[in-house]
Amino acid sequence: QVQLLESGGRVVQAGDSLRLSCVASQESLSMYTVGWFRQVIGKDREFVATVMDTGTTYYGDSMENRFTISRDNAKNAVFLQINSLKPEDTAVYYCAATRRIGARTNQNNYDYWGQGTQVTVSS
């Protein structure tokens, strides 16, 4: 089964940009839908963005235009670019993968999860 490892999270200043990476091992990601979710302690996990195996992308309603998801099948990776970071973007960011058709925004449809990477935005 596919294993996912996130990286790129760190402490940044408001207004900075960040690119998170999700690299897969054990299996190719090319046939998977891969999503990014984020979670603040004490709150529900929130959908950020997803990219299907076809390259079609979907974004969460509150993500505005600051988030961009992309995939590079040659690197077996999916990326999340976050621009103009805000303190409210502070969270643990998780990537998740699924081969279920139509998974999109519902985290319950994702079968494989990484351990998460912490993003902290200071004001």
Side-chain angles (χ1 to χ4, degrees):
Q1 66 184 38
V2 67
Q3 295 182 358
L4 305 173
L5 181 64
E6 303 96 333
S7 64
R10 59 187 176 91
V11 179
V12 296
Q13 297 286 325
D16 285 351
S17 296
L18 204 58
R19 189 174 86 151
L20 306 181
S21 300
C22 173
V23 178
S25 60
Q26 305 300 321
E27 196 171 336
S28 170
L29 267 185
S30 62
M31 299 301 293
Y32 285 82
T33 291
V34 182
W36 283 95
F37 296 79
R38 66 184 184 182
Q39 188 169 25
V40 176
I41 294 176
K43 295 187 177 181
D44 292 337
R45 192 170 293 178
E46 179 183 27
F47 169 73
V48 176
T50 195
V51 56
M52 300 177 68
D53 58 339
T54 58
T56 301
T57 58
Y58 297 92
Y59 293 90
D61 291 339
S62 62
M63 296 305 134
E64 304 166 354
N65 294 315
R66 300 185 296 113
F67 294 79
T68 303
I69 190 170
S70 62
R71 67 190 306 154
D72 186 337
N73 290 334
K75 295 181 178 180
N76 214 25
V78 171
F79 306 98
L80 183 69
Q81 176 73 32
I82 314 172
N83 297 325
S84 302
L85 279 151
K86 303 176 181 180
E88 51 264 43
D89 293 321
T90 295
V92 178
Y93 284 73
Y94 298 90
C95 71
T98 181
R99 295 191 65 173
R100 302 189 196 200
I101 297 173
R104 299 189 188 178
T105 66
N106 188 341
Q107 61 177 308
N108 295 321
N109 290 330
Y110 288 78
D111 299 304
Y112 307 102
W113 291 81
Q115 294 299 307
T117 185
Q118 176 71 49
V119 173
T120 302
V121 184
S122 61
S123 57

